[in-house]
């Protein structure tokens, strides 16, 4: 029996599903205490699997003061990094990376059973916050290492498993892991990819707009200027800029008509029902194009808003600031062998050669790529279920991804 067959046979599908359920039941919302709890659990599991484990507390003050600080959106009092590495000389031939943090649940009434962290299981699917984004990928990474441990297979070159925090709000955990010195020859981030391989990410920036009005009594509204009305030409300018920035996108985005969306996510105005609101605050996200400097993307929005032909806005310009996460774009270098290696592993498991594509959202890919580590995404789940009360992952995808990753590890790291 070949080594590959032994390892594939040793993958415990039911055990992997149980592991995923255990991970989902930890409500590790980004920035919260449970995020640290889950990092401790990951470190424990990696240690039990015989890896050399580095778990450290993030120096938040140092990271926030770093010139390349990736930004953050969630309040954070602490954070931990966790890296497990198999034995062997030299840097890891491959990194498998996953983030433990999840986004908040939203309205609990919209979740079946009102329990986002219940890990509800059907015959084909596991439901729950983080099931897709991206605890299924984290479970797959751990399941690969478990199969290697069970079979006693020793890799010729090291494999590293990175468990990071704060991916959802900027990538602070991945950034800290790079600064810690945990590099490798290549990396696979097991974010949900719907059976495809993602070789590039667009980026995104969070913006905050303040649109001025002039207060007045609602009964004499003609004496004031409604900040909501003043926002209308601002929103129109945003939609015009979005159309301009999405003309002729990179061919990797084939089939995606809007790979660089600009969206306003929150709008707040007024403080009294019978008053003309004198301030509107809007927050949203700006898509950063592939290979575009984020500063250039920010400048494009600033220029578009400064150029609005409106008398009130010329006299009272929109104030724009850039809080929150700062996601640059990133991509796997053209022709890098990691893509062909991953394609072959997936095809050997599924019988079908996977397609390649690019994602319109930011991720930790750009942090690894920025550190000189060729990186791609391949993992279980469909991103359309992420961040939603219907979040779920197909068990078939979990199984197939785990098997494909196992083959990739064996072939890239080699066997003693």
């Amino acid at each position: 029996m070949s080594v590959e067959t032994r390892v594939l046979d040793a993958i415990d599908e039911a055990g992997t599903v149980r592991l995923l359920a255990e991970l989902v039941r930890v409500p590790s919302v980004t920035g919260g205490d449970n995020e640290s709890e889950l990092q401790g659990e990951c470190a424990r599991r990696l240690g039990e699997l015989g890896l050399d484990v580095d778990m450290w507390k993030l120096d938040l003050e140092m990271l926030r003061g770093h010139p390349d600080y990736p930004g953050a959106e969630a309040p954070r009092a602490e954070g931990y990094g966790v890296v497990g590495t198999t034995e062997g000389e030299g840097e890891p031939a491959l990194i498998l990376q996953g983030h433990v943090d999840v986004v908040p649940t939203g309205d609990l009434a919209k979740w079946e059973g009102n329990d986002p962290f219940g890990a509800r299981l059907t015959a084909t699917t596991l439901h729950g916050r983080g099931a897709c984004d991206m605890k299924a990928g984290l479970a797959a990474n751990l399941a690969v290492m478990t199969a290697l441990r069970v079979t006693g297979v020793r890799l010729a070159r090291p494999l590293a498993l990175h468990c990071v925090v704060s991916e959802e709000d900027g990538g602070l955990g991945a950034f800290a892991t790079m600064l810690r010195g945990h590099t490798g020859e290549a990396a696979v981030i097991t974010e949900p990819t719907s059976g495809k391989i993602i070789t590039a990410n667009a980026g995104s920036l969070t913006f905050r707009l303040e649109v001025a009005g002039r207060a007045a009594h609602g009964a004499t509204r003609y004496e004031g200027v409604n900040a909501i009305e003043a926002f209308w030409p601002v929103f129109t300018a945003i939609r015009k800029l979005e159309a301009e920035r999405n003309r002729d996108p990179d061919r990797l985005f084939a089939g995606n008509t809007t790979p660089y969306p600009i969206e306003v996510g929150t709008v707040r105005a007024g403080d009294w029902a019978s008053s003309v609101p004198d301030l509107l605050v809007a927050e949203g996200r700006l898509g950063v194009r592939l290979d575009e400097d984020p500063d250039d993307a920010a400048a494009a929005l600033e220029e578009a808003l400064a150029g609005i032909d409106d008398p009130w806005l010329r006299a009272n310009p929109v104030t724009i600031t850039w809080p929150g996460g700062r996601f640059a774009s990133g991509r796997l270098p053209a022709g890098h062998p990691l893509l062909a290696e991953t394609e072959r592993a997936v095809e050997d498991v599924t019988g079908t050669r996977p397609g390649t594509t690019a994602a319109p959202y930011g991720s930790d890919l750009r942090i690894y790529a920025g550190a000189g580590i060729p990186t791609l995404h391949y993992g279980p789940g469909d991103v359309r279920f992420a961040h939603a009360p219907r979040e779920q992952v197909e068990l078939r995808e979990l199984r197939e991804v785990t098997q494909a990753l196992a083959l990739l590890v064996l072939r890239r790291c080699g066997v003693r």
Side-chain angles (χ1 to χ4, degrees), residues 394-413:
E394 294 292 325
L395 303 184
R396 173 191 54 80
E397 289 188 43
L398 177 60
R399 178 184 67 251
E400 292 178 349
V401 167
T402 303
Q403 292 172 342
L405 291 174
L407 293 180
L408 178 64
V409 166
L410 292 170
R411 294 166 182 177
R412 173 159 268 277
C413 297

Side-chain angles (χ1 to χ4, degrees), residues 7-8 11 94-97 136-145 148 159 187-191 341-342 345-346 349 376-380 397-413:
V7 172
L8 291 179
I11 294 173
L94 182 65
I95 296 166
L96 298 181
Q97 193 256 38
L138 189 64
N141 295 347
L142 292 167
V144 169
M145 194 60 235
L148 293 174
L159 166 70
V188 173
I189 300 176
T190 51
E191 292 273 14
E341 293 166 357
T342 307
V346 175
V349 167
L376 56 77
H377 284 188
Y378 174 67
E397 289 188 43
L398 177 60
R399 178 184 67 251
E400 292 178 349
V401 167
T402 303
Q403 292 172 342
L405 291 174
L407 293 180
L408 178 64
V409 166
L410 292 170
R411 294 166 182 177
R412 173 159 268 277
C413 297

Side-chain angles (χ1 to χ4, degrees), residues 78-363:
E78 67 174 21
Y80 288 88
V82 173
V83 171
T85 310
T86 62
E87 61 184 3
E89 296 297 325
E91 71 174 357
L94 182 65
I95 296 166
L96 298 181
Q97 193 256 38
H99 65 83
V100 304
D101 59 313
V102 301
V103 297
T105 60
D107 184 358
L108 295 180
K110 290 187 167 61
W111 290 85
E112 185 169 337
N114 299 338
D115 186 2
F117 300 106
R120 183 171 60 86
L121 185 64
T122 69
T124 61
T125 309
L126 190 143
H127 300 255
R129 171 59 83 231
C132 169
D133 186 13
M134 61 165 290
K135 290 180 177 179
L138 189 64
N141 295 347
L142 292 167
V144 169
M145 194 60 235
T146 301
L148 293 174
R149 178 72 168 177
V150 167
T151 56
V153 170
R154 298 175 66 189
L155 300 175
R157 297 191 292 164
L159 166 70
L161 271 63
H162 291 190
C163 305
V164 303
V165 300
S166 190
E167 188 276 344
E168 294 290 0
D169 72 326
L172 185 64
F175 181 63
T177 301
M178 295 299 96
L179 291 182
R180 185 79 168 179
H182 288 294
T183 61
E185 292 183 8
V188 173
I189 300 176
T190 51
E191 292 273 14
T193 63
S194 300
K196 295 183 179 181
I197 297 173
I198 290 176
T199 59
N201 279 118
S204 68
L205 301 174
T206 300
F207 60 80
R208 184 177 192 269
L209 309 178
E210 294 185 9
V211 181
R214 184 171 62 226
H217 194 291
T220 57
R221 69 174 184 82
Y222 44 81
E223 295 294 333
V225 175
N226 191 314
I228 298 172
E229 291 184 74
F231 178 65
W232 292 351
V234 175
F235 189 76
T236 299
I238 288 173
R239 281 289 179 256
K240 180 181 178 183
L241 177 64
E242 180 186 60
E244 293 171 354
R245 288 175 58 79
N246 282 278
R247 292 197 186 105
D248 301 319
D250 191 289
R251 61 183 179 81
L252 282 170
F253 286 108
N256 187 336
T257 59
T258 313
Y260 311 118
I262 311 175
E263 185 59 295
V264 175
T266 66
V267 176
R268 301 183 299 276
D271 57 8
W272 193 251
S274 60
S275 295
V276 175
D278 62 357
L279 177 65
L280 179 145
V281 177
E283 295 175 328
R285 61 94 68 191
L286 166 71
V288 178
R289 295 182 292 197
L290 285 182
D291 306 320
E292 180 181 35
D293 188 316
D295 288 339
D296 293 339
L301 181 58
E302 291 169 355
E303 291 169 8
L305 299 189
I308 296 174
D309 185 16
D310 178 89
W312 175 258
L313 293 176
R314 283 198 301 271
N316 301 271
V318 177
T319 299
I320 180 167
T321 52
W322 300 94
R326 183 179 176 84
F327 292 85
S329 68
R331 67 164 86 208
L332 181 76
H336 193 276
L338 179 63
L339 175 57
E341 293 166 357
T342 307
E343 287 176 327
R344 180 187 166 212
V346 175
E347 186 172 12
D348 286 349
V349 167
T350 65
T352 303
R353 193 171 186 82
T356 59
T357 187
Y361 49 80
S363 80

Side-chain angles (χ1 to χ4, degrees), residues 18-93:
R18 287 194 299 272
L19 170 60
L20 173 56
E22 291 173 10
L23 296 174
V24 169
R25 290 183 184 120
V26 180
S28 51
V29 175
T30 193
D33 292 343
N34 295 113
E35 191 186 48
S36 296
E37 175 192 341
L38 190 49
Q39 282 291 73
E41 176 62 18
C42 288
R44 182 188 67 79
R45 289 180 181 272
L46 293 174
E48 290 178 348
L49 291 170
L51 279 72
D52 179 18
V53 178
D54 180 19
M55 180 174 181
W56 71 99
K57 189 172 185 178
L58 305 189
D59 185 340
L60 296 178
E61 183 177 355
M62 180 276 290
L63 294 169
R64 289 166 178 156
H66 194 285
D68 296 326
Y69 173 60
E73 299 185 21
R76 178 176 300 281
E78 67 174 21
Y80 288 88
V82 173
V83 171
T85 310
T86 62
E87 61 184 3
E89 296 297 325
E91 71 174 357

